[in-house]
Amino acid sequence: MIHPRAFYEEDTVTAAKNLLGCILVHSEGDATTSGRIVETEAYLRQDPAAHSFRGRTGGNSVLFGPAGHAHVFLVYGLHWCMNVVTGRGSGGGAVLIRALEPSEGVPVMQKRRGLNDLRLLCSGPGRLTQALAITGEYNGLPLNSGPLQIRSPDSISGIAISPGQEIVQTNRVGISKAKDLPCRFFLKGNPYISRGPARKAG
DNA sequence: GTACTGATTTTCT
DNA sequence: GAAAATCAGTACC
């Protein structure tokens, strides 16, 4: 099931929580790779750590476009990261996908990553993009059609999390500004979480 | 197991 | 010129 536009037009924080448990799918030719989203971070327009904070500049114009699109960007010169544009009306909000639990196409992902350990395949923003072969070409693509999609696994009253699954909310990781804001979310006890303070909290 | 360091390029000042 | 939403490898308990 594909999410309607309204799913992404919630506040960024709400969307970040709702995205947990959803499936990110990439289809490229014959190969389909996918994984369940288990960790996200919310970046708001007024957030000093967000790329959209300084307003619309060269590489972030997608953030000011319609919700439900992918924003793919390069960090540290060598790793791709993927955002989902959220919020209504060019708000500049986005949700960073930080970790996936591998689902379909595991052998393909292992090959792309050069690893066998499932826990290391997608447990980080730079890792999951490599595993799903997401690069700058996907910047600006819609997530309800095309090669890159986000699905709900089984709609359980609007929230795609299995019953009893708790969401943990903590501070963010890997940034130096406004890092104390509790805008990071992940599924409690899930082993496919990126490193950082959250690990021990699970 | 934890801690530290290098790689590499885009973007803004 | 400096900083950046990271990862993998090495050193050392």
Side-chain angles (χ1 to χ4, degrees):
Chain A
M1 165 180 169
I2 306 291
H3 296 295
R5 168 78 65 88
F7 179 87
Y8 302 103
E9 289 182 336
E10 300 274 0
D11 337 301
T12 298
V13 169
T14 303
K17 284 191 272 197
N18 287 345
L19 279 167
L20 289 175
C22 295
I23 312 289
L24 177 63
V25 186
H26 175 242
S27 305
E28 176 193 78
D30 295 338
T32 295
T33 47
S34 70
R36 195 161 70 116
I37 299 172
V38 296
E39 184 178 356
T40 60
E41 270 179 17
Y43 284 87
L44 309 176
R45 170 70 172 84
Q46 65 272 25
D47 179 351
H51 289 167
S52 53
F53 178 65
R54 289 175 222 278
R56 183 173 183 151
T57 58
N60 68 4
S61 58
V62 175
L63 291 174
F64 295 87
H69 285 230
H71 174 230
V72 183
F73 61 97
L74 194 63
V75 280
Y76 294 94
L78 57 151
H79 294 292
W80 293 103
C81 290
M82 180 184 159
N83 276 339
V84 178
V85 180
T86 58
R88 202 182 293 272
S90 310
V95 174
L96 173 70
I97 309 298
R98 282 195 65 87
L100 301 179
E101 176 182 325
S103 177
E104 300 170 79
V106 170
V108 178
M109 292 195 273
Q110 288 173 327
K111 194 169 163 186
R112 286 180 185 147
R113 295 271 297 117
L115 288 170
N116 292 323
D117 191 336
L118 281 184
R119 286 182 322 154
L120 299 178
L121 273 189
C122 302
S123 57
R127 291 170 178 170
L128 69 92
T129 53
Q130 187 183 10
L132 299 201
I134 297 170
T135 64
E137 313 171 29
Y138 295 88
N139 191 29
L141 291 188
L143 291 168
N144 52 13
S145 64
L148 204 53
Q149 300 187 1
I150 292 181
R151 301 198 302 243
S152 174
D154 249 353
S155 43
I156 301 169
S157 67
I159 296 190
I161 301 179
S162 47
Q165 179 65 265
E166 289 180 63
I167 296 177
V168 181
Q169 176 172 4
T170 66
N171 56 304
R172 295 176 295 184
V173 182
I175 54 176
S176 52
K177 296 167 206 153
K179 62 183 172 193
D180 294 329
L181 288 181
C183 292
R184 181 188 193 197
F185 305 94
F186 61 94
L187 298 184
K188 184 172 185 178
N190 192 288
Y192 302 95
I193 300 291
S194 66
R195 66 168 168 181
R199 266 284 179 85
K200 55 188 175 189

